[in-house]
């Protein structure tokens, strides 16, 4: 965001586009910076701690027991981040009244689409939700390229 401001000779609207963890990060960043006019997220998770408890084994390829509790215990000390603090669900409340477009495949094996639905449901009057089928994780663009481009451009045009 700071880089965009530094490159622009005159103020313009800043829209963030993020995929997976980048989508979550975009919501968190917009919650902290009111100059962001809107956010587009593709396959974002809503809260890191509950997500990891349920899905860490998907990424680590390790058995849930005993590894998930062990990793969750070590993780904050290892990376210096409290997973409970990474909360895009709460951050979405601070983005309003600015819009967020949630894009998610119902067939995402890595991050359940219900994460996006949960965030969308916080403010359905301001937020938009597009659920695709059979696209996997961050695969909606490849699956439905023309519709994806159309939805993103229409969203940006309304900002």
């Amino acid at each position: 965001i700071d880089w965009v401001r530094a490159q622009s000779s005159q103020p313009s609207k800043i829209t963030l586009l993020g995929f997976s963890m980048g989508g979550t990060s975009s919501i968190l960043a917009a919650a902290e910076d009111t100059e962001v006019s809107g956010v587009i997220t593709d396959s974002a998770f809503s809260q890191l701690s509950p997500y990891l408890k349920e899905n860490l084994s998907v990424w680590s390829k390790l058995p849930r027991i005993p590894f998930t509790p062990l990793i969750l215990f070590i993780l904050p000390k290892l990376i210096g981040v409290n997973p409970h603090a990474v909360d895009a669900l709460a951050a979405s409340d601070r983005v309003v009244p600015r819009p967020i477009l949630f894009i998610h495949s119902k067939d995402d094996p890595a991050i359940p689409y219900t994460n996006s639905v949960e965030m969308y449901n916080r403010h359905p009057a301001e937020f938009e939700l597009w659920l695709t089928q059979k696209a996997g994780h961050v695969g909606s663009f490849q699956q439905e390229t023309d519709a994806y481009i159309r939805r993103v451009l229409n969203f940006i045009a309304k900002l």
Side-chain angles (χ1 to χ4, degrees):
I1 296 169
D2 290 339
W3 182 87
V4 169
R5 283 188 195 115
Q7 301 305 310
S8 179
S9 59
Q10 56 190 92
S12 62
K13 294 181 179 179
I14 298 173
T15 305
L16 302 179
L17 168 63
F19 300 88
S20 191
M21 185 184 296
T24 301
S25 298
S26 294
I27 294 168
L28 296 170
E32 299 300 320
D33 193 322
T34 58
E35 288 188 45
V36 172
S37 60
V39 178
I40 303 163
T41 76
D42 187 330
S43 308
F45 59 84
S46 58
Q47 296 175 303
L48 184 57
S49 186
Y51 171 75
L52 289 176
K53 285 178 185 171
E54 290 296 317
N55 300 285
L56 185 59
S57 60
V58 171
W59 298 99
S60 69
K61 307 290 189 228
L62 296 169
R64 183 171 291 186
I65 302 296
F67 293 103
T68 294
L70 181 61
I71 292 169
L72 290 176
F73 176 74
I74 295 170
L75 193 63
K77 295 166 182 50
L78 186 66
I79 65 172
V81 174
N82 177 355
H84 294 285
V86 182
D87 188 346
L89 184 62
S92 69
D93 293 337
R94 297 190 313 276
V95 175
V96 169
R98 295 165 292 151
I100 301 174
L101 169 59
F102 297 96
I103 302 169
H104 216 127
S105 173
K106 284 187 168 184
D107 302 299
D108 187 336
I111 298 177
Y113 77 94
T114 53
N115 281 254
S116 287
V117 170
E118 184 180 26
M119 291 184 283
Y120 164 77
N121 283 338
R122 297 286 278 236
H123 302 280
E126 289 87 6
F127 296 165
E128 295 180 31
L129 175 66
W130 180 37
L131 298 176
T132 63
Q133 304 278 341
K134 301 176 185 169
H137 186 60
V138 297
S140 296
F141 178 78
Q142 290 81 10
Q143 186 79 16
E144 301 196 37
T145 304
D146 291 339
Y148 196 105
I149 292 169
R150 200 169 36 255
R151 283 186 185 262
V152 167
L153 291 177
N154 286 341
F155 177 82
I156 292 170
K158 292 187 277 185
L159 300 177

